[in-house]
Structures are given as C-alpha cells and as structure tokens.
Amino acid sequence: INDTDPLWAKDPSKLKDEDYKEFYRKLSPFDPEPLFWIHLNIDHPFELQGILYFPKINRNKPINENNIRLYSKQVFVSDSVKNIVPEFLSLLKGVLDSTNIPLNVSRSALQGDPNVKKIANYIIKKVADNLKILAKKDRARYESIWEDIGLFVKYGIVSDTKFDELMRESALLKTRDLKTGETKLVTFSEYDDLHSAEQKEKLGGKILYFDKENRDSSLINQLAENKYYVIELDDYIDPHCSQHIEYQKQGEIERKFTSIDN
C-alpha cells in the first residue's frame, strides 16, 4: 500500500489476476480470496484511480463499513468514505485515490463538493457495468458468486435509483429445476420464459414465491406438477427488494410477487 508505484496506479491491461489477489492479501490478510474486483481509472472530468473488491461475506460476523481507504496522490487521507461511496457499496473493500475529493472529508465538505457526487455516480455505473458484463460473458461465474454479491445488488436496487435502473434485469431469482430438483438461478425475463404462453397469461406478470422459513412443500410440489416455477425468498433483504420492484416499475413492465401461501 505504501509502494511508490501502487497497484491502483498501474495500467489494468498489464495486470494479472494474481496481482489483484496479492494486493488484496495485503489489504485484508485474514480474508478468503475476493469474489470479484473492479479497477477504476479515469482522468476526465475528474481524476480517480482505485480498486474495489467484492469480499466473501461472513454473515456471522459484524460488518465493518470502514473497508475502503481514501488517498490523494498516494497519500492516505481517511478510511471513512461514507459520503463518497454509496452506502450499499460500503461493504466493499479496497482503495480510492483522487485529487478531486476534499482533504477535509467532513460530511459538510463532501456534500458541498460537486465532484464528490460525480465520483459517486461514476462508481455506481462502473460497478453495475462490470457486473452486467460478468453476467453476460461468464454466467456460470456470475451464478457461482451470486449468493454473496446478491446482497450488494439487492441492497443497491432498493436504495439507489440509478443502480436499480442498471441492474434490475441482471438480478437473479432462486427457483428449482422441475426435472432435477436442483436450484436454478434466473433473471426476471428468464422466469417469465420458463412458463408457456398460457401460463404467462394466467400469471399476468406475477412471480410466485415462498418464504424459506415457512414453506409448504406439498403446495410447491403441486405447482411443480403443473409446471409452475416458484422462487425462494431466503435473505432478509428479499421482502424489501420485492416490494420495491412492485412499486417502482421500469417502463411498462409490472411485477407482482405473490405468495403461494395466500
């Protein structure tokens, strides 16, 4: 981190995965390998370099939100970026280096600086774009880390309009493969396409779901026999996310989450 030529200042095209993993081990020596990372490098309309890592979350440990270190020309400024990085991304780890962020990182100083909002919006878009690229180019990898990154994505959909706009259609729903019984992860549009035209008409945009902690296996099996797919809500953020999607529709698409227990 104190290197005169730190990793975040280097050309991303010349770096290998192991370079990023080694740097992460310096940042968080007791953590497992990161799930995913994003290298930030822009010089107009503001200067920003940095690396943000998606860590594997231990849900049994308290979450520390001071995981991103702020630098200015490689000089450490603060480990509090609460008003620079959106709250839903505060679980990420890494470094940011910018001469456009005030050295006085008090809330009032940051809120009054126009560059801070631009930087926050850039980070949101960069994170969303990278996740969407991963989902498109390496779906298997995207699905393999969804259990961890899903928390970030759902939290972002609920709390940030721009991130919601960019990422909603890349969010994954957990259902079951009717043939194998194995977990199947699908997007909203893929969930629709699992059903026949007649089923789609009957559903009318509804998404059938059950709560993992309160499941009726016989009813789930009955629906499966009729080839209806039911998604599983198993995270504390899921009810908030589903409610948000119902009330904040995108374009003409309307979604309605319907419990099979009702």
Side-chain angles (χ1 to χ4, degrees):
I1 297 170
N2 295 318
D3 195 330
T4 56
D5 186 23
L7 194 73
W8 69 80
K10 296 181 179 180
D11 183 348
S13 65
K14 297 180 179 179
L15 297 174
K16 299 179 180 179
D17 287 356
E18 187 53 40
D19 295 321
Y20 289 104
K21 292 177 182 179
E22 182 181 354
F23 182 62
Y24 187 75
R25 286 192 288 269
K26 294 177 181 178
L27 287 174
S28 303
F30 302 108
D31 279 10
E33 282 192 358
L35 303 165
F36 185 65
W37 56 82
I38 297 168
H39 197 138
L40 308 170
N41 191 355
I42 183 173
D43 56 18
H44 183 78
F46 50 81
E47 291 184 8
L48 177 69
Q49 295 174 319
I51 304 171
L52 295 177
Y53 292 91
F54 284 76
K56 187 167 181 61
I57 298 175
N58 184 340
R59 301 186 184 223
N60 297 318
K61 290 177 62 179
I63 294 174
N64 175 18
E65 294 188 349
N66 293 335
N67 293 316
I68 300 175
R69 303 177 187 183
L70 178 63
Y71 289 78
S72 178
K73 292 185 177 179
Q74 302 174 25
V75 176
F76 177 72
V77 176
S78 174
D79 62 357
S80 176
V81 294
K82 187 174 183 180
N83 295 292
I84 302 169
V85 176
E87 186 179 2
F88 74 93
L89 294 178
S90 62
L91 302 180
L92 302 187
K93 297 188 176 185
V95 298
L96 296 175
D97 191 332
S98 176
T99 57
N100 295 106
I101 297 174
L103 295 181
N104 174 10
V105 290
S106 67
R107 182 173 182 178
S108 58
L110 294 175
Q111 287 182 332
D113 192 295
N115 282 318
V116 171
K117 181 63 176 176
K118 292 177 184 176
I119 289 172
N121 287 336
Y122 169 76
I123 291 173
I124 290 170
K125 186 177 187 305
K126 192 71 173 177
V127 169
D129 286 348
N130 276 264
L131 288 174
K132 288 169 69 175
I133 289 171
L134 179 65
K136 185 176 182 179
K137 291 189 173 181
D138 193 349
R139 178 63 179 263
R141 171 69 175 151
Y142 186 64
E143 289 190 13
S144 73
I145 64 176
W146 178 254
E147 185 175 348
D148 289 281
I149 69 170
L151 178 62
F152 297 98
V153 174
K154 294 171 191 174
Y155 189 11
I157 286 173
V158 170
S159 61
D160 189 273
T161 303
K162 187 63 178 177
F163 189 81
D164 182 16
E165 181 183 308
L166 293 168
M167 278 300 299
R168 185 182 296 191
E169 290 305 312
S170 295
L172 298 180
L173 307 169
K174 184 187 296 185
T175 185
R176 301 276 174 186
D177 187 302
L178 299 184
K179 293 181 179 180
T180 66
E182 296 178 351
T183 297
K184 184 180 183 70
L185 293 172
V186 295
T187 64
F188 287 103
S189 59
E190 288 169 351
Y191 175 83
D192 293 337
D193 292 340
L194 289 172
H195 300 94
S196 67
E198 183 182 352
Q199 288 174 316
K200 286 183 185 180
E201 186 175 350
K202 287 182 179 179
L203 287 172
K206 292 179 181 177
I207 297 172
L208 305 178
Y209 78 89
F210 67 91
D211 189 323
K212 184 179 180 180
E213 300 302 321
N214 185 27
R215 61 188 297 174
D216 184 337
S217 298
S218 61
L219 185 53
I220 293 171
N221 292 335
Q222 183 181 341
L223 286 164
E225 288 174 7
N226 289 283
K227 298 185 178 179
Y228 281 96
Y229 286 78
V230 183
I231 69 164
E232 176 180 306
L233 301 187
D234 62 353
D235 206 332
Y236 68 86
I237 192 71
D238 283 345
H240 304 286
C241 191
S242 57
Q243 186 178 52
H244 171 83
I245 289 170
E246 283 187 358
Y247 288 103
Q248 302 294 329
K249 73 174 187 176
Q250 292 183 350
E252 297 302 314
I253 300 175
E254 292 190 15
R255 304 284 184 190
K256 175 69 176 178
F257 287 77
T258 302
S259 172
I260 63 172
D261 296 317
N262 293 337

